[in-house]
């Protein structure tokens, strides 16, 4: 059973517009969520995180929103840039020492 | 060298071969991880070492054998693999187990 789900395998957005990547989870014990970005032939790079005590965390062009009641989080990128084209993984963990559970990823393509 | 490095970047091996993947981190971290990434699947955690002690083996077949001689180095010894073991193998490290992880570029393994 997949505890972290990214239901959109791909997303295409025009440069300058907003990209919204979604992630759903089933385990109510998850209290820490992360987004990773992965370019081809490279390992994932940590992007932004949020703990369950917050519902929003912002870092430059990247904002993560957490809706605990819906068990849903989203990553907003605005404005989107061609260099943002990559695969984005959502991950979750429960407690400080538990392992990260990853989603299957969403491939974002930002076109000019 | 900085960050997390992995060698080789690409490996092709037969089912009867014995090979090893190497991971080295230059971040002063104490936890190291092996992940497997197959197409259209979430990243799968394989092994975790915290302060050189194996703390997690995620039901990985014995044909994969990890070794962590010190906090900076992690090996994955491969023996009699199957074609379905072909995947991208990623190494990661974190300050301690449960902290944000930094990933290496991965080794793309093809088993013929």
């Amino acid at each position: 059973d997949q505890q972290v789900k990214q239901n959109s395998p791909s997303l295409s957005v025009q440069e300058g517009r907003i990209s919204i990547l979604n992630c759903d989870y089933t385990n109510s014990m998850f209290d820490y969520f992360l987004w990773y970005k992965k370019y081809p032939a490279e390992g994932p790079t940590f992007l932004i995180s949020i703990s369950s005590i917050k519902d929003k965390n912002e870092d430059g062009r990247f904002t993560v929103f957490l809706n605990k009641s819906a068990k849903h989080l989203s990553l907003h990128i605005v404005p989107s840039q061609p260099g943002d084209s990559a695969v984005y993984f959502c991950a979750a963990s429960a407690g400080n020492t538990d392992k990260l559970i990853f989603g299957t990823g969403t491939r974002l393509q930002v076109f000019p | 060298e900085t960050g997390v490095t992995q060698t080789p970047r690409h490996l092709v091996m037969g089912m009867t071969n014995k090979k090893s993947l190497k991971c080295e981190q230059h971040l002063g971290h104490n936890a190291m991880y092996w992940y497997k990434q197959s197409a259209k699947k979430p990243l799968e955690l394989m092994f975790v070492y915290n302060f050189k002690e194996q703390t997690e083996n995620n039901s990985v077949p014995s044909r994969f054998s990890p070794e962590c001689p010190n906090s900076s180095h992690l090996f994955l010894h491969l023996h009699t693999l199957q074609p379905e073991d072909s995947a991208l193998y990623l190494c990661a490290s974190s300050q301690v187990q449960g902290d944000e992880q930094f990933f290496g570029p991965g080794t793309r393994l093809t088993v013929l």
Side-chain angles (χ1 to χ4, degrees):
Chain A
D1 180 38
Q2 210 166 315
Q3 298 184 66
V4 178
K5 301 177 185 177
Q6 294 177 256
N7 292 318
S8 298
S10 63
L11 175 67
S12 191
V13 172
Q14 189 173 30
E15 181 178 8
R17 301 277 187 139
I18 184 171
S19 296
I20 300 177
L21 297 104
N22 293 303
C23 179
D24 297 290
Y25 61 96
T26 58
N27 188 343
S28 58
M29 299 301 292
F30 287 147
D31 59 4
Y32 185 58
F33 305 89
L34 307 89
W35 284 94
Y36 282 81
K37 174 180 177 180
K38 183 181 182 302
Y39 292 116
E42 294 183 13
T45 304
F46 170 71
L47 198 56
I48 192 169
S49 64
I50 188 168
S51 78
S52 59
I53 61 173
K54 300 176 74 172
D55 54 18
K56 175 183 174 182
N57 188 25
E58 191 172 351
D59 183 2
R61 297 185 298 114
F62 302 91
T63 303
V64 56
F65 295 92
L66 176 62
N67 182 334
K68 289 186 289 292
S69 61
K71 294 191 178 69
H72 176 84
L73 67 156
S74 60
L75 174 68
H76 292 213
I77 306 173
V78 57
S80 301
Q81 300 173 354
D84 295 329
S85 299
V87 178
Y88 289 79
F89 290 93
C90 168
S93 71
N96 280 334
T97 59
D98 205 351
K99 62 186 177 183
L100 291 174
I101 309 296
F102 285 85
T104 52
T106 296
R107 181 176 300 280
L108 172 66
Q109 184 178 5
V110 180
F111 58 93
Chain B
E1 288 275 21
T2 58
V4 182
T5 58
Q6 288 186 244
T7 54
R9 294 295 305 274
H10 300 271
L11 178 62
V12 179
M13 59 187 289
M15 290 190 285
T16 58
N17 291 158
K18 287 184 183 181
K19 296 286 185 183
S20 296
L21 310 185
K22 179 182 175 182
C23 175
E24 185 172 0
Q25 57 94 4
H26 308 269
L27 301 168
H29 289 168
N30 296 295
M32 296 188 78
Y33 311 75
W34 279 117
Y35 286 87
K36 175 183 178 181
Q37 186 186 355
S38 304
K40 296 187 179 178
K41 286 187 176 182
L43 276 173
E44 299 172 49
L45 179 66
M46 300 174 73
F47 301 103
V48 182
Y49 279 81
N50 199 35
F51 293 94
K52 299 190 296 178
E53 297 295 321
Q54 187 179 121
T55 56
E56 188 139 2
N57 176 337
N58 202 19
S59 302
V60 180
S62 60
R63 57 186 185 269
F64 295 91
S65 174
E67 179 190 0
C68 187
N70 54 62
S71 292
S72 299
H73 293 86
L74 184 66
F75 295 90
L76 187 63
H77 303 300
L78 315 172
H79 176 51
T80 59
L81 295 192
Q82 305 297 313
E84 58 265 29
D85 296 322
S86 299
L88 182 68
Y89 288 84
L90 291 161
C91 173
S93 72
S94 63
Q95 186 60 48
V96 293
Q97 186 174 349
D99 281 357
E100 289 156 359
Q101 297 173 31
F102 295 80
F103 284 81
T107 294
R108 182 158 299 283
L109 173 68
T110 303
V111 181
L112 301 176

